[in-house]
Amino acid sequence: MSDDEKVAKELVETLKDGERGFASAAEKLRDSDRAEWAETLQRLSEQRAVFSREIVDLGHQYDEDVDKSGTVAASLHRGWMSLKDALTGDDAGSVLSAAATGEDHAVSEYEDALKHDLSSGFHDVVTRQHAAVVAARDEVKALQNAD
C-alpha cells in the first residue's frame, strides 16, 4: 500500500467521523439555548463530507479504493468517539467541548499525514484541507470560549 493510499484511508475515516460527529452535535444543539451553534456545526459537517469525497475521488484517479475502512486500531483512537458520551446530556458546553476534542484529533491526523512521503498533488490537497481543519478547530474553540 502506498503512503498516499494509507494516509488517504486514515483521513477519510477521520473526516467521516467528523462529519457524523458535527451532524450529531448540530442536531443536539438545534433546540438548545445555543441553537446558533448548530448552524456552524452543520456547516462543518458538510465541509468534512466534501473533503472526504475529494480524497476518495483523488484516490480513484490512481486506482486506489480509499473509501474502505482504515485499520481497527485506528478506529479505537479517533477523537470523535468522546462525542457519544457528551451527546447523551443536555449541556451545550459539553457537546462543544467534545467537538473541540474531535477537532484536536483531526488536526493531529492531518499533521501526521503531512509527515509522509505523499505525491505532490495529494500533498497539496492535504495541506489545503489541513489549513481548513485548523480554522474549523479554532472556530469551535472560539465558540467554546464565548460561552
Side-chain angles (χ1 to χ4, degrees), residues 79-101:
W80 274 102
M81 301 310 274
S82 65
L83 185 62
K84 178 181 164 188
D85 294 331
L87 292 177
T88 60
D90 290 327
D91 180 26
S94 294
V95 172
L96 205 56
S97 178
T101 298

Side-chain angles (χ1 to χ4, degrees), residues 1-21:
M1 180 182 311
S2 71
D3 275 3
D4 281 11
E5 184 177 7
K6 178 183 172 204
V7 166
K9 284 183 178 196
E10 291 301 322
L11 289 179
V12 165
E13 287 297 318
T14 297
L15 289 164
K16 286 180 178 181
D17 288 344
E19 177 186 357
R20 286 186 297 265

Side-chain angles (χ1 to χ4, degrees), residues 1-14 55 59 64-71 74 78 109 112-113 115-118 122 126:
M1 180 182 311
S2 71
D3 275 3
D4 281 11
E5 184 177 7
K6 178 183 172 204
V7 166
K9 284 183 178 196
E10 291 301 322
L11 289 179
V12 165
E13 287 297 318
T14 297
I55 291 174
E64 294 176 343
D65 192 6
V66 299
D67 199 21
K68 299 291 183 198
S69 287
T71 65
R78 293 198 183 98
E109 286 292 314
D112 289 347
K115 294 176 185 173
H116 286 82
D117 184 25
L118 305 176
F122 186 48
V126 173

